[in-house]
């Protein structure tokens, strides 16, 4: 009986040590990922693609940035609805891809 209690105690102690050793590093890695993501997001410009007077237009941080000749009424209903609400994108690459999809 004593032997069983001793083995159980050793196994339990090893388990506690392993979980406590792994836990801080997992938290640290998660914090670092969040920090990196926040830094990238903060440096990228925020564009909003909208319906402006029936045409596809782009706002940069809330100010007029670009107007296209693409008529919103020629787009699918789902895209029209999204443009009425405003489609937020970050970065020029994402903006370029979205405009290519909408305006081609």
């Amino acid at each position: 009986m004593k032997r069983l209690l001793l083995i159980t105690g050793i196994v339990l102690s090893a388990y506690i040590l392993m979980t406590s050793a792994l836990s801080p590093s997992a938290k640290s890695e998660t914090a670092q990922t969040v920090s990196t993501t926040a830094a990238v997001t903060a440096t990228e410009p925020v564009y909003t693609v909208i319906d402006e007077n029936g045409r596809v237009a782009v706002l940069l941080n809330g100010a007029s940035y670009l107007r296209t000749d693409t008529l919103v009424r020629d787009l699918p209903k789902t895209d029209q609805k999204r443009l009425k609400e405003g489609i937020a994108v970050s970065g020029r690459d994402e903006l370029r891809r979205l405009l290519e999809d909408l305006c081609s």
Side-chain angles (χ1 to χ4, degrees):
M1 182 71 162
K2 289 181 181 181
R3 184 178 243 182
L4 180 61
L5 285 174
L6 180 64
I7 292 172
T8 304
I10 291 172
V11 170
L12 185 58
S13 297
Y15 174 77
I16 291 171
L17 286 173
M18 286 184 356
T19 56
S20 65
L22 293 176
S23 182
S25 66
K27 288 179 184 177
S28 174
E29 184 176 319
T30 302
Q32 184 177 13
T33 302
V34 169
S35 174
T36 302
T37 303
V40 169
T41 303
T43 60
E44 293 178 344
V46 177
Y47 300 96
T48 307
V49 183
I50 61 168
D51 174 349
E52 183 178 72
N53 299 322
R55 298 192 187 274
V56 175
V58 180
L59 304 176
L60 172 58
N61 297 322
S64 183
Y65 177 73
L66 173 73
R67 292 186 186 108
T68 71
D69 292 330
T70 303
L71 297 173
V72 173
R73 70 173 182 235
D74 294 340
L75 299 173
K77 296 288 183 195
T78 55
D79 288 338
Q80 290 179 28
K81 182 179 180 194
R82 289 175 59 211
L83 288 167
K84 293 266 187 230
E85 296 169 357
I87 305 168
V89 295
S90 60
R92 287 184 179 220
D93 290 337
E94 189 176 346
L95 175 63
R96 181 185 47 78
R97 283 191 294 273
L98 178 61
L99 289 176
E100 284 176 356
D101 288 344
L102 293 172
C103 299
S104 59

